[in-house]
Amino acid sequence: MNAISTLKSSILAGVCIGIAGFGFLSSKDIIGTVLFTFGLLAVVHYGFKLYTGTVGFMGGSKGLAVKEIPLVLLGNIIGTLLVALLSYASPNDLQSVAQGILEARLKTGILPCGLLAIGCGFIMTTAVKFAKFENRWLPLLFGVSIFIVCGFPHCIADAFYYLAVPVSFWQANLFDILLLYISIVIGNGIGCNLVRLIMWNKEA
């Protein structure tokens, strides 16, 4: 897959997760965690490139080259931005809900959120493996619900939440938000590769 195709696939993956996040913000309860699963189901079904669905396989025979991962992340963020713009047209007050999530992340702290993100990465790679390689889709439902209930940050879901937050909040907290996001991306990346790191197996 060339760079343009990878970017297009990544943007579409971001759109899927953005739509899932839209549903979650509109509900924000246990039903919302189930609704969010649609995003990952769509990503896996279409084979779109999602950061947490690819970084755990990078460098192996089943995954992308390491150098392509930043492009996947960029495309995912662009996709979530497109959906986040739609949130301003929603009759629901999604911006305040999204801001509440971001405020909670900032209150938790940059390093703690990065550590919690490891849990999300592990869950997502495990769930995707079940679906991709064993055609077992139920773990996607449980995986998404559990990382949300546990409060484990997912960097692409968070990209949607953060981009739906009013610009004024960004202006007041730009540096902290960027550091927080970088921490979550790194944490997700570690979690997605946790089994490979511990077992020292590129294909684990």
Side-chain angles (χ1 to χ4, degrees), residues 27 57-58 83 92 97 114 141-142 144 189 198:
S27 178
F57 306 100
M58 64 181 179
V83 183
N92 300 324
V97 180
L141 171 62
F142 290 114
V144 170
I198 293 175

Side-chain angles (χ1 to χ4, degrees), residues 157-182:
D158 273 33
F160 169 73
Y161 303 146
Y162 300 177
L163 292 169
V165 169
V167 175
S168 58
F169 188 84
W170 268 85
Q171 292 173 333
N173 301 277
L174 178 61
F175 186 67
D176 287 339
I177 293 173
L178 292 177
L179 285 181
L180 172 69
Y181 191 71
I182 291 170

Side-chain angles (χ1 to χ4, degrees), residues 193-201:
N193 288 280
L194 194 61
V195 174
R196 294 203 298 177
L197 290 170
I198 293 175
M199 301 301 292
W200 202 248
N201 180 356

